[in-house]
Amino acid sequence: LAESVIAILEPELVDAKLTTKENTLIAWATKQDHEAIQVSLDALSETLGESPNKTVKVIEELPAVLKMAEQMLAELTPSVTLLDVSMENRWVVWADEEGHQHLEKILNSLSEQLSADQADRSIKVYEIGQASVVSVETLLAQRIPGAVTLEAKADRLFIVASVDEHLEVKQLIDEL
């Protein structure tokens, strides 16, 4: 837990020196920073409890990427918990190693699809019913090349596209 607090707070508390010894957090900091550290420790203890196979990682990414990934998290990576630590462009993630790896895959995929000039793109989940995922993805690639499938499940697709492309995707899936 102490190492988790360091991972979360160190970027924010630039004047504080934080270290651990035998799962104890040692902080050389101002009174205000000590109070912030205590609040974080209390919140983490309450939120996380005892889970020896889970760890905390701080992830920095573009706000648009994080916003889209958050829409996918609950469905795709239920073992991942986002801790409520109000930091712009950063997430504090509590997960086992598999959860961290899956989240990293999602974020990398989103990062590849989004750039500063593509702020109009968003992610939507499409139910495809009995249609084959492979056939729907093939049709999408042929008819709407700008729409990108981030993740495919047996009966739904997670697609990043512009507003106009989403309309085309919906129409295509409705036709199937």
Side-chain angles (χ1 to χ4, degrees):
L1 186 62
E3 290 164 355
S4 299
V5 172
I6 290 176
I8 294 167
L9 291 177
E10 206 160 42
E12 301 296 315
L13 304 174
V14 293
D15 293 331
K17 302 289 185 223
L18 305 173
T19 188
T20 62
K21 183 176 182 181
E22 297 174 10
N23 205 31
T24 300
L25 179 68
I26 302 170
W28 291 270
T30 65
K31 182 177 180 179
Q32 183 178 358
D33 286 347
H34 276 290
E35 290 170 0
I37 292 166
Q38 188 60 54
V39 167
S40 293
L41 277 171
D42 294 345
L44 281 171
S45 294
E46 184 177 312
T47 303
L48 307 181
E50 292 296 321
S51 298
N53 64 334
K54 291 191 173 186
T55 59
V56 169
K57 290 186 181 179
V58 177
I59 297 172
E60 294 191 45
E61 190 53 80
L62 296 171
V65 171
L66 294 179
K67 182 179 177 187
M68 284 192 194
E70 189 170 11
Q71 296 172 6
M72 299 173 67
L73 274 182
E75 190 147 353
L76 295 177
T77 54
S79 66
V80 172
T81 302
L82 289 181
L83 302 179
D84 186 16
V85 181
S86 300
M87 293 187 285
E88 190 174 322
N89 301 346
R90 228 181 295 168
W91 272 355
V92 179
V93 181
W94 175 249
D96 58 18
E97 191 55 37
E98 182 179 333
H100 283 300
Q101 289 173 356
H102 195 200
L103 178 59
E104 185 177 334
K105 178 184 164 199
I106 291 170
L107 290 173
N108 287 340
S109 184
L110 282 169
S111 292
E112 290 172 10
Q113 302 307 319
L114 298 175
S115 62
D117 62 332
Q118 295 177 317
D120 69 326
R121 297 174 72 76
S122 62
I123 189 168
K124 290 190 179 179
V125 180
Y126 292 92
E127 300 288 332
I128 59 171
Q130 300 300 317
S132 157
V133 170
V134 174
S135 63
V136 174
E137 286 183 304
T138 302
L139 277 172
L140 282 171
Q142 292 169 350
R143 291 181 44 188
I144 314 164
V148 177
T149 302
L150 290 177
E151 185 90 20
K153 294 287 187 182
D155 61 345
R156 60 193 175 280
L157 298 173
F158 293 80
I159 298 175
V160 173
S162 67
V163 173
D164 292 338
E165 290 165 339
H166 277 301
L167 292 173
E168 291 180 59
V169 170
K170 182 177 179 349
Q171 184 179 20
L172 175 73
I173 290 174
D174 287 347
E175 289 173 10
L176 299 173

